[in-house]
Amino acid sequence: MRKTILLTILTLMGMAANAQERQLGLFGIGFYNLENLFDTEHDEGKNDYEYLPDGANHWTQMKYEHKLKNMSTALADMGTERLKGIGCAVIGVSEVENAHCLTDLCNQEPLKARGYQFVHIEGPDNRGVDCALLYNPRFFKPAKVWLQPYEMKAGVNDRPTRGFLTAQGVLAGDSVTFIVCHWPSRGGGPALRIWGGEQVRAEKDSILAANPNMKILVMGDMNDDPFDPSMATALGARRKMQDVKPNQMFNPFWQILLDGRGTLVYQGGWNLFDQIVMTPNCIDVAGKKEYNTLTFYKAEVQRFPYLVQDEGKFKAAPKRTHASGVWLDGYSDHLPVVAYFVREL
């Protein structure tokens, strides 16, 4: 039997103590930008030279092993405040160089103990960083995986960039599609991310046209906040459940940013680029609380104390691997995020 945290309908609904109880399974879905998880070997055709032993970051085997240990610790801790000893069923990740890094990552003890596996397809990024999906096979069973390409568009992009890793499978008895993204950086202007949002929306619509019951979660480092045009308009991810139309999505991280919490710091202020958004069949707009399919429960930024600077100029900001050319033996310039879903068992 799947090992899950059991909740009662009393806990979620605040019903009277004498009400009939139902057992619910709680499932965590996470995303984390791993900030340059590179090995120490050169990948042919990729500009990975700064992450070689003789490169700008003097990226040695010792530093790589520390990075693996740090990342595996954070990934294993994601979701454990509510799912103690279990963690997330699925975690999308970005900024991973290759399958070798992912194999080494999943072989780290905190992840290996839970049996995490991964899906990954090598992409066209110039630096070689890709997206991947880690999953606990006790909960998620992948059936089909592909890399949806980021298409070329005149006047917008003149070279290939990171595509959208798409994995379909079964989670808690429901058909689920995860689309893991790392949209273009802000240096290229907003048109690149708006075009990315339009492409992901088209992919989502195509999947739903083939299977209207498919639950779709788009996650990633969007390099934009929830209210930016790429997310709010191009992808159509709305802040309030009641405002979500059938062809749109719900973004719980919009309100989290408005409440003053983010995932990265820029010029002293918080942004929330790391988001998990979902199709309307994942939310309970009417408040029926039936939970006979996976239903959104709660979203959080994972702010573990060890992930943030505790002193100095950047106190309270995420603790990076490098800063100003100095190796900090840190984690990432982003904080991880988790969305929780419940389903009757």
Side-chain angles (χ1 to χ4, degrees):
M1 186 177 76
R2 286 183 307 230
K3 184 180 179 184
T4 63
I5 291 294
L6 299 183
L7 304 178
T8 67
I9 207 68
L10 296 179
T11 302
L12 293 177
M13 295 179 65
M15 295 173 63
N18 60 354
Q20 182 179 3
E21 294 185 2
R22 290 187 289 164
Q23 288 185 330
L24 302 178
L26 181 66
F27 301 87
I29 308 299
F31 175 80
Y32 195 17
N33 179 326
L34 303 186
E35 193 196 15
N36 297 319
L37 178 57
F38 280 80
D39 61 22
T40 61
E41 302 294 327
H42 173 57
D43 285 4
E44 188 66 29
K46 301 297 184 180
N47 183 15
D48 59 359
Y49 298 105
E50 64 179 321
Y51 281 93
L52 297 177
D54 59 353
N57 290 317
H58 304 288
W59 195 242
T60 63
Q61 184 67 21
M62 181 271 289
K63 290 181 179 179
Y64 174 54
E65 291 175 359
H66 275 241
K67 178 75 171 179
L68 289 169
K69 181 177 183 295
N70 291 349
M71 293 292 89
S72 64
T73 298
L75 288 162
D77 283 349
M78 289 172 61
T80 54
E81 184 177 353
R82 299 179 186 278
L83 291 159
K84 297 186 184 303
I86 299 172
C88 289
V90 172
I91 306 174
V93 296
S94 66
E95 294 199 17
V96 178
E97 184 181 20
N98 51 38
H100 172 230
C101 293
L102 289 160
T103 299
D104 288 347
L105 182 66
C106 288
N107 280 333
Q108 298 295 302
E109 192 54 40
L111 300 180
K112 185 178 181 180
R114 296 184 195 157
Y116 275 100
Q117 299 178 22
F118 68 87
V119 295
H120 163 261
I121 297 175
E122 189 71 27
D125 182 80
N126 180 55
R127 294 180 61 242
V129 290
D130 297 322
C131 293
L133 190 78
L134 309 183
Y135 66 93
N136 187 327
R138 290 184 299 162
F139 305 117
F140 179 64
K141 308 295 183 184
K144 182 179 180 182
V145 180
W146 70 94
L147 185 65
Q148 187 76 12
Y150 185 109
E151 300 288 351
M152 303 290 285
K153 184 177 182 180
V156 177
N157 57 316
D158 56 6
R159 65 177 183 178
T161 189
R162 298 175 291 266
F164 318 113
L165 181 74
T166 308
Q168 291 183 334
V170 176
L171 174 64
D174 286 339
S175 295
V176 183
T177 296
F178 299 101
I179 303 176
V180 189
C181 306
H182 187 184
W183 290 358
S185 70
R186 292 203 151 191
L192 285 166
R193 295 182 300 284
I194 291 171
W195 175 224
E198 291 173 353
Q199 291 179 80
V200 173
R201 186 171 188 166
E203 182 187 12
K204 178 262 297 181
D205 290 344
S206 176
I207 294 169
L208 285 178
N211 181 2
N213 294 320
M214 180 71 71
K215 294 177 181 288
I216 302 177
L217 280 78
V218 176
M219 64 174 73
D221 173 3
M222 308 306 189
N223 271 305
D224 266 336
D225 286 313
F227 51 75
D228 285 317
S230 62
M231 291 298 297
T233 304
L235 185 59
R238 312 309 297 161
R239 177 170 70 94
K240 297 180 179 179
M241 285 189 189
Q242 59 268 31
D243 294 338
V244 178
K245 298 178 181 178
N247 65 338
Q248 295 178 334
M249 305 189 82
F250 171 58
N251 188 350
F253 290 92
W254 192 328
Q255 187 60 50
I256 289 174
L257 179 60
L258 292 178
D259 291 339
R261 297 185 295 278
T263 56
L264 71 157
V265 173
Y266 179 68
Q267 295 183 345
W270 283 100
N271 292 99
L272 208 164
F273 290 175
D274 308 271
Q275 300 159 56
I276 302 171
V277 304
M278 60 208 71
T279 45
N281 56 6
C282 296
I283 58 179
D284 182 19
V285 180
K288 295 181 179 179
K289 297 182 172 63
E290 294 175 344
Y291 306 121
N292 53 3
T293 67
L294 280 169
T295 304
F296 172 72
Y297 171 51
K298 190 178 182 63
E300 298 174 330
V301 175
Q302 304 281 272
R303 189 181 172 86
F304 309 129
Y306 62 79
L307 292 181
V308 298
Q309 296 272 20
D310 57 5
E311 60 183 3
K313 179 181 178 181
F314 300 106
K315 184 177 181 180
K319 186 177 182 180
R320 307 185 57 167
T321 303
H322 295 93
S324 302
V326 177
W327 180 56
L328 302 178
D329 194 16
Y331 295 80
S332 173
D333 55 345
H334 293 241
L335 296 175
V337 294
V338 173
Y340 298 96
F341 294 79
V342 293
R343 194 187 197 282
E344 187 170 6
L345 299 177

